Amino acid sequence: ARYEVQNVGGDLHNELWVPAEDLEEFNRHIVGQIQVSGRFYGPKYTGVVKSTKYFISLDVNAQWEQVKKFAQAGKLQDLLPSEKASILINWEYWKEKGDSTEVLTQLVNVWKASYGDGLKLEV
């Protein structure tokens, strides 16, 4: 109730505007799970995530090539701990790309083995 809802373009594009300095406290008060209902990857999207080990300075497409290399080597389980955020952020982008359903399926299986079924990554 403390934060203002802003319309950012069209009837369905409302956002709750939370000042950056309030985010930490705001996040502590989230109850339950957050469901992502949609994504938009604009033409300038790079998918670069700062906290990474294997994806340092790699854009979203180069990251996908790294994922495929790990899959070919049977080492996706080694990739997950350090690249978890990148995988979550770029998952739908990689799916839309439609490059390798087989690698996506392997990634889902390794994810479930490592983290359970709480996140519904689907191919």
Side-chain angles (χ1 to χ4, degrees):
R2 286 197 303 196
Y3 304 107
E4 189 176 341
V5 174
Q6 296 282 329
N7 184 275
V8 294
D11 293 339
L12 299 175
H13 296 97
N14 293 326
E15 295 179 354
L16 186 62
W17 284 22
V18 179
E21 60 271 9
D22 293 357
L23 277 176
E24 192 171 317
E25 180 184 351
F26 179 83
N27 287 338
R28 281 196 301 269
H29 290 87
I30 294 173
V31 177
Q33 294 184 342
I34 296 173
Q35 179 179 351
V36 177
S37 59
R39 296 158 188 85
F40 173 74
Y41 299 100
K44 294 181 182 178
Y45 180 72
T46 63
V48 174
V49 176
K50 291 181 183 179
S51 179
T52 184
K53 178 178 179 182
Y54 298 105
F55 293 166
I56 294 173
S57 301
L58 299 180
D59 72 13
V60 64
N61 296 310
Q63 290 174 34
W64 179 239
E65 294 304 315
Q66 236 1 22
V67 170
K68 291 193 297 188
K69 287 178 186 175
F70 272 80
Q72 287 175 332
K75 295 192 178 264
L76 283 173
Q77 71 280 357
D78 297 340
L79 184 69
L80 287 185
S82 63
E83 307 310 329
K84 189 175 180 181
S86 296
I87 291 166
L88 289 173
I89 290 167
N90 294 317
W91 180 257
E92 291 297 322
Y93 182 91
W94 293 334
K95 274 179 46 177
E96 288 172 14
K97 187 175 179 168
D99 182 36
S100 179
T101 304
E102 180 182 325
V103 172
L104 290 171
T105 301
Q106 288 177 37
L107 193 52
V108 166
N109 292 335
V110 172
W111 185 282
K112 286 180 181 179
S114 298
Y115 303 112
D117 212 9
L119 278 169
K120 303 287 188 220
L121 293 183
E122 298 173 359
V123 179

